[in-house]
C-alpha cells in the first residue's frame, strides 16, 4: 500500500470520531460501529464503499424505491445495515423519469429560498424535504448546495445560496440540520469551487489558499459547524492541479485535519477518475460507479447531457458481477483487490456507517404518502419570503382588488411556473403542466402546475383578467391597450450541464416588454429566472418582481404579492450586474474537446479571490443594476441610534422603525471593512415590525468573516485596529456608520468565537 493511501486512511480513522469521542471514552454508538465493521467481509465492505445506478443493474433487489434512486447499495439485514437509497433533494425529492409514481412536492429553488435570509425557514425547508424523502423511501438526501455564486451565468446557481459565505454557510447549515431530523443523512456539495458547468470535468481552479479559505471554503466550514451533515460530496472539477475527488488538500488537509469532519466523503456521479488516488486523498464512497465505468466504456451520461446507449448499458452490466465492483480499464483505475486490505476497507467504511447510525438512517424507511398539505404550506412560506420586489415606481403595486381589468401576458402564466433542470428536477404532483416529448424529465423544462393567472382571478374576482401568449405580439398589444394594468411574465429555463451564454433574456422577450410598455404605461414584469438578467427596458416599466423558480406554491405567492395580501420581504442573495463586462471573467470558459483517455484540462483563475460578488463590485467600483441585499417593501423602514458593545463578541444595536401604514418585514444587514479588509457581510437580522412601530435589533459581528486565514499556522487571525461598521438596507446602501476597535483574536475552523 502506498504511503499516500496510508496517510488518507489514518486521517479518515482519526477524524471519523467526533471531538468529544476523541477526548473521552468511546460511546455505545462507536462500539456498535466497530462491532459491525469487524463482522463485515470484503463483499459487504465494498457494498458500503461503492453505490450503483439502479437502472444500470441487473439485480432483482434494486426494485421499488431503489429503482428510482440516484444511487443504491443493497441491504445487509444480518448486520443491521439498511439498503442505501439516495435521492437528489435540492428542490424536493428528485425524479428520473416522467411517471406519476414519482411525483412529489416541488419547493422553491435554493436561491429563491436564500432570498428570504431566514435561517429558520431554511431549517423548516430541510425538515420538509427530508420528511418527503423519508416518506418516499430514501435515507440519503443529496442536497445542500454550498458553492458560492462566482458567476451569475452558472447553470446550477439556482441550486445554491448566493454569493456570500456567511449567508450561504448559515443557510446551508440550517437546511442540513432540518433535513437530518428525519433520520436521514444530508449532504453538502459540491466540494469545492464548482462555479461553472462549462467543462466541469476538465477545468482546474486556480485560487490562492488564503482566498479559498475566506470564500467558498468558509461557507462550507460554517455549514458543517451548524448542520453537521453526515456526508460531503466532492465535485467534478479540479482544484490546485488535482480532481476534487482526488485532492488531498481538500479532503484530507482541510476537511479532516483542520476541520475534524467526522462524516464521510462521497463522489459526485462520474467524478472518480482513479479509485486508488481518490481513496488515498480521503474519499470514502464512490457514487454511481457505473458512471465512472461508462466514460471508460464510451458512455457519457449526464456529463454530456446525453443518454447512455443501450450497447454501453449492456457492457456496463457485463462489467458488474454480483453487486460488487468489477471495472474495465478507466484511465488508470485501481480495483478493490489485494492492493487494499479488508482492514483498510473497514477504515474507509467507518464514517459511512457512523453517519448512518448517528442520524438514525439505519432505521427502515417506511414508505407512506407524502404529506402534500404540509409540504405546500412550507413551499408557500418559502415563496412568499423569497420573492424580491426590485422596482415599484409611483406605488404601482400592490394592485387594488377593485381594479377593472388586467392583461396578463406570457410566461405560460395560465399553466404554471417554471423550474430548473438537471439532477435536482422534481416531477410535481399533477405532472408537467406543459408536457414534453419523451419520458426523461431531467433534460427538459418542467412547468409546475401552479398558474399565477388562476390565483390572480381568485384574489380579484370582480376584475376582468385576460391572458395572452407571449408569441402573439399583436394580440398582446391589443389586450394591453384595453387594460388598466399589465403583468408580463418572463420565464427563462436554466439547467445542470450548461451555463447561460449571457445574462440577456431572449430578443423576443425584450422586444415584447418594450412594445407593451409603449402601449400601456402601467406594466409590471414578473421574472421567473434562475438569477440576474439584464433589463434594457427597466426605465420603461413601473414595477419588477424577481420570482426566481418559486415552486409548487409559486403561482399563489406571486398573486399574493401583486395584490398586497403578502408584503414582499425578499432581499437579493447575489448582485445583479449591469454588464457581463463587469464580471471577474467577462467570457465563459472555453473547454477543449474531450479526447480518448484522460480529458484535456484547462485552467480557470478565480482572480477575484475571496472578493466574490458584491465584494468584487465594491473593490472595482463597478455600478450595479441591483446590489446584493437589495429588496423593496410596501412598508418603509428607517434605522437610527447605532451603537456597538465592544466587549467579547461585538454586538451592533440599532432601532428599526416601520414608518408606514402596513405591517412589514425587513432584513437589517451589518457590513464591516478596515485593516486591509474590503466590505464584508458580518451579520444580519430578519425582523417583522407592525405599522408605525419600532423595534431594537441586536446583531453580533461574525469575526471569522473579517479575519484573515494564515496558511503558515492554518489559523484565522483578526488584525487589531479600527473597523467601520455599517448597518444598511443593502451592500450598496450608506446606512448608519460607526467605528469599532477590535482586539487581536486567533481561532481555528472547528469553532468561531462569534458562535
Amino acid at each position: 500500500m502506498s504511503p499516500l493511501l496510508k496517510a488518507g486512511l489514518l486521517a479518515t480513522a482519526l477524524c471519523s470520531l467526533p471531538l468529544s469521542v476523541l477526548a473521552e471514552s468511546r460511546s455505545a454508538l462507536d462500539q456498535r460501529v466497530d462491532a459491525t465493521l469487524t463482522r463485515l467481509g470484503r463483499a459487504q465492505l465494498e457494498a458500503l464503499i461503492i453505490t450503483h445506478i439502479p437502472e444500470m443493474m441487473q439485480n432483482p433487489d434494486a426494485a421499488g424505491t431503489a429503482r428510482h434512486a440516484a444511487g443504491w447499495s443493497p441491504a445487509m439485514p444480518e448486520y443491521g445495515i439498511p439498503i442505501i437509497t439516495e435521492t437528489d433533494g435540492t428542490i424536493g425529492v428528485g425524479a428520473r423519469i416522467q411517471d406519476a409514481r414519482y411525483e412529489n412536492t416541488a419547493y422553491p429553488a435554493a436561491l429563491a429560498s436564500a432570498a428570504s435570509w431566514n435561517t429558520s425557514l431554511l431549517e423548516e425547508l430541510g425538515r420538509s424535504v427530508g420528511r418527503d424523502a423519508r416518506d418516499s423511501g430514501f435515507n440519503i438526501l443529496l442536497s445542500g448546495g454550498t458553492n458560492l455564486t462566482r458567476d451569475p451565468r452558472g447553470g446550477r446557481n439556482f441550486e445554491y445560496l448566493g454569493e456570500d459565505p456567511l449567508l450561504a454557510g448559515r443557510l446551508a447549515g440550517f437546511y442540513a440540520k432540518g433535513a437530518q431530523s428525519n433520520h436521514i443523512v444530508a449532504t453538502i456539495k459540491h466540494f469545492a469551487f464548482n462555479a461553472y458547468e462549462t467543462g466541469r470535468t476538465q477545468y482546474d481552479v486556480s485560487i490562492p489558499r488564503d482566498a479559498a479559505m475566506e470564500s467558498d471554503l468558509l461557507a462550507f466550514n460554517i455549514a458543517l459547524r451548524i448542520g453537521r451533515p453526515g456526508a460531503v460530496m466532492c465535485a467534478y472539477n479540479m482544484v490546485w492541479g488535482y480532481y476534487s475527488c482526488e485532492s488531498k488538500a481538500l479532503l484530507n488537509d482541510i476537511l479532516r485535519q483542520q476541520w475534524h469532519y467526522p462524516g464521510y466523503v462521497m463522489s459526485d456521479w462520474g467524478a472518480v477518475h482513479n479509485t486508488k488516488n481518490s481513496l488515498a486523498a480521503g474519499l470514502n464512497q464512490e457514487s454511481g460507479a457505473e458512471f465512472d465505468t461508462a466514460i471508460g466504456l464510451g458512455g457519457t451520461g449526464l456529463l454530456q447531457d446525453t443518454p447512455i446507449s443501450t450497447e454501453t448499458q449492456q457492457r456496463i452490466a457485463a462489467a458488474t458481477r454480483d453487486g460488487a465492483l468489477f471495472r474495465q480499464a478507466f484511465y488508470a483505475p485501481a480495483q478493490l483487490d489485494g492492493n487494499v486490505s479488508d482492514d483498510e476497507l473497514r477504515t474507509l467504511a467507518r464514517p459511512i456507517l457512523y453517519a448512518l447510525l448517528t442520524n438514525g438512517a439505519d432505521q427502515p424507511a417506511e414508505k407512506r404518502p407524502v404529506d402534500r398539505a404540509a409540504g405546500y404550506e412550507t413551499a408557500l412560506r418559502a415563496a412568499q419570503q423569497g420573492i424580491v420586489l426590485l422596482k415599484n415606481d409611483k406605488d404601482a403595486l400592490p394592485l387594488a382588488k377593485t381594479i377593472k381589468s388586467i392583461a396578463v401576458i406570457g410566461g405560460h402564466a395560465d399553466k404554471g411556473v417554471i423550474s430548473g433542470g438537471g439532477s435536482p428536477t422534481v416531477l410535481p404532483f399533477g405532472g408537467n403542466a406543459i408536457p414534453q416529448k419523451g419520458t426523461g424529465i431531467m433534460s427538459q423544462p418542467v412547468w409546475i402546475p401552479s398558474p399565477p393567472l388562476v390565483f390572480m382571478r381568485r384574489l380579484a374576482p370582480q376584475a376582468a383578467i385576460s391572458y395572452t401568449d407571449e408569441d402573439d405580439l399583436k394580440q398582446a398589444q391589443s389586450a394591453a391597450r384595453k387594460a388598466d394594468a399589465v403583468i408580463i411574465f418572463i420565464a427563462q429555463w436554466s439547467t445542470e450541464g450548461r451555463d447561460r451564454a449571457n445574462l440577456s433574456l431572449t430578443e423576443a422577450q425584450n422586444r415584447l416588454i418594450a412594445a407593451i410598455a409603449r402601449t400601456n404605461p402601467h406594466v409590471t414584469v414578473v421574472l421567473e429566472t434562475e438569477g440576474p438578467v439584464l433589463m434594457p427596458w427597466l426605465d420603461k416599466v413601473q414595477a419588477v418582481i424577481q420570482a426566481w423558480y418559486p415552486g409548487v406554491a409559486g403561482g399563489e405567492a406571486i398573486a399574493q404579492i401583486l395584490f398586497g395580501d403578502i408584503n414582499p420581504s425578499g432581499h437579493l442573495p447575489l448582485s445583479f450586474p449591469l454588464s457581463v463586462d463587469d464580471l471577474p471573467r467577462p467570457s465563459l470558459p472555453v473547454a477543449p474537446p474531450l479526447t480518448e483517455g484522460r480529458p484535456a484540462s484547462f485552467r480557470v483563475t478565480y482572480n477575484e479571490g475571496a472578493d466574490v460578488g458584491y465584494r468584487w463590485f465594491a473593490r472595482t467600483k463597478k455600478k450595479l443594476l441591483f446590489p446584493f441585499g437589495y429588496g423593496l417593501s410596501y412598508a418603509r423602514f428607517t434605522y437610527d441610534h447605532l451603537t456597538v458593545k465592544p466587549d467579547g463578541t461585538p454586538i451592533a444595536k440599532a432601532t428599526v422603525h416601520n414608518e408606514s401604514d402596513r405591517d412589514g418585514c425587513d432584513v437589517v444587514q451589518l457590513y464591516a471593512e478596515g485593516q486591509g479588509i474590503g466590505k464584508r457581510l458580518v451579520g444580519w437580522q430578519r425582523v417583522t415590525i407592525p405599522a408605525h412601530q419600532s423595534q431594537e435589533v441586536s446583531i453580533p459581528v461574525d469575526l471569522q468573516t473579517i479575519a484573515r486565514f494564515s496558511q503558515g499556522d492554518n489559523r484565522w487571525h483578526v488584525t487589531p485596529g479600527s473597523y467601520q461598521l455599517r448597518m444598511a438596507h443593502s451592500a450598496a446602501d450608506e446606512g448608519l456608520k460607526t467605528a469599532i476597535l477590535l482586539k487581536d483574536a486567533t481561532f481555528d475552523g472547528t469553532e468561531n468565537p462569534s458562535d
Side-chain angles (χ1 to χ4, degrees), residues 237-256:
N237 56 281
M238 303 172 74
V239 180
W240 300 318
Y242 294 89
Y243 285 104
S244 296
C245 294
E246 296 179 16
S247 173
K248 178 179 177 292
L250 286 177
L251 307 187
N252 178 55
D253 300 351
I254 295 172
L255 188 63
R256 299 279 186 203

Side-chain angles (χ1 to χ4, degrees), residues 37 40-52 72-74 76 81 84 275 279 284-290 319-327 334-342 344-350 352:
L37 287 171
L40 298 182
R42 191 170 191 84
Q44 292 78 31
L45 291 166
E46 287 194 9
L48 275 175
I49 293 170
I50 301 156
T51 67
H52 299 279
W72 166 89
S73 281
M76 294 174 266
I81 299 174
I84 290 177
T275 302
L279 296 181
N284 300 101
Q285 188 176 78
E286 181 176 7
S287 307
E290 289 75 24
T320 306
R321 298 286 186 262
D322 302 322
L325 181 68
F326 177 82
R327 303 197 301 168
Q335 296 174 18
L336 300 185
D337 52 24
N339 292 323
V340 184
S341 71
D342 289 2
E344 291 159 357
L345 290 183
R346 289 187 180 93
T347 301
L348 293 169
R350 192 182 198 285
I352 303 172

Side-chain angles (χ1 to χ4, degrees), residues 167-231:
L167 179 65
R170 284 185 180 175
L171 296 179
F174 278 96
Y175 181 91
K177 184 178 179 181
Q180 291 190 156
S181 67
N182 295 279
H183 302 302
I184 64 173
V185 171
T187 308
I188 63 171
K189 60 184 186 181
H190 302 89
F191 194 66
F193 304 103
N194 185 189
Y196 292 103
E197 291 299 282
T198 303
R200 64 180 181 176
T201 63
Q202 299 169 264
Y203 66 79
D204 182 4
V205 171
S206 174
I207 183 174
R209 180 71 167 265
D210 57 350
M213 296 296 291
E214 294 168 18
S215 54
D216 292 63
L217 296 182
L218 176 57
F220 278 98
N221 186 206
I222 293 170
L224 289 169
R225 282 203 310 264
I226 293 173
R228 302 184 182 275

Side-chain angles (χ1 to χ4, degrees), residues 279-588:
L279 296 181
L283 186 76
N284 300 101
Q285 188 176 78
E286 181 176 7
S287 307
E290 289 75 24
F291 261 169
D292 300 325
T293 306
I295 301 172
L297 295 175
T300 53
L302 281 178
L303 299 181
Q304 294 293 313
D305 198 27
T306 303
I308 296 176
S309 68
T310 301
E311 178 184 0
T312 298
Q313 290 189 46
Q314 292 173 349
R315 295 173 69 189
I316 292 170
T320 306
R321 298 286 186 262
D322 302 322
L325 181 68
F326 177 82
R327 303 197 301 168
Q328 295 187 13
F330 168 55
Y331 304 151
Q335 296 174 18
L336 300 185
D337 52 24
N339 292 323
V340 184
S341 71
D342 289 2
D343 284 342
E344 291 159 357
L345 290 183
R346 289 187 180 93
T347 301
L348 293 169
R350 192 182 198 285
I352 303 172
L353 190 56
Y354 189 89
L356 289 169
L357 299 184
T358 298
N359 292 289
D362 60 316
Q363 301 301 315
E366 298 180 9
K367 291 188 65 176
R368 66 190 75 185
V370 169
D371 192 335
R372 293 178 60 175
Y376 186 92
E377 288 302 315
T378 296
L380 178 60
R381 282 190 288 275
Q384 290 168 339
Q385 295 182 32
I387 291 174
V388 183
L389 180 62
L390 294 176
K391 181 178 181 180
N392 193 23
D393 281 1
K394 299 179 181 179
D395 293 327
L397 298 177
L399 298 171
K401 294 183 180 179
T402 56
I403 193 170
K404 291 182 179 180
S405 60
I406 303 172
V408 175
I409 300 170
H412 296 294
D414 61 329
K415 297 288 196 304
V417 293
I418 199 167
S419 61
S423 57
T425 300
V426 175
L427 180 61
F429 288 112
N432 196 339
I434 303 178
Q436 310 287 314
K437 293 181 180 180
T439 58
I441 65 170
M442 296 172 65
S443 58
Q444 58 184 231
V446 172
W447 296 81
I448 299 168
S450 179
L453 181 67
V454 170
F455 291 100
M456 291 176 65
R457 287 172 173 167
R458 288 181 187 175
L459 292 180
Q462 305 305 315
I465 305 180
S466 64
Y467 176 76
T468 307
D469 189 270
E470 64 192 77
D471 294 330
D472 193 340
L473 181 56
K474 285 188 177 181
Q475 182 60 36
Q477 286 178 303
S478 176
R481 195 172 292 114
K482 303 171 187 175
D484 294 324
V486 181
I487 313 296
I488 303 176
F489 285 83
I490 297 295
Q492 184 188 67
W493 187 58
S494 185
T495 181
E496 176 186 6
R498 65 170 181 261
D499 298 313
R500 290 193 283 164
N502 51 54
L503 294 178
S504 297
L505 298 175
T506 67
E507 183 179 344
Q509 287 171 327
N510 283 327
R511 187 169 56 246
L512 169 72
I513 298 171
I516 297 302
R518 288 193 300 268
T519 304
N520 189 319
H522 307 296
V523 173
T524 293
V525 176
V526 178
L527 296 168
E528 295 173 31
T529 64
E530 80 146 354
V533 296
L534 304 181
M535 304 181 196
W537 35 261
L538 182 60
D539 61 349
K540 298 178 177 66
V541 302
Q542 282 193 322
V544 180
I545 288 174
Q546 180 63 47
W548 318 99
Y549 297 153
V552 66
E556 183 174 3
I558 291 169
Q560 291 173 332
I561 296 287
L562 287 171
F563 284 103
D565 287 33
I566 295 295
N567 194 345
S569 60
H571 288 251
L572 295 179
L574 74 177
S575 306
F576 277 43
L578 281 169
S579 168
V580 295
D581 293 334
D582 296 333
L583 301 177
R585 286 164 297 284
S587 298
L588 286 172

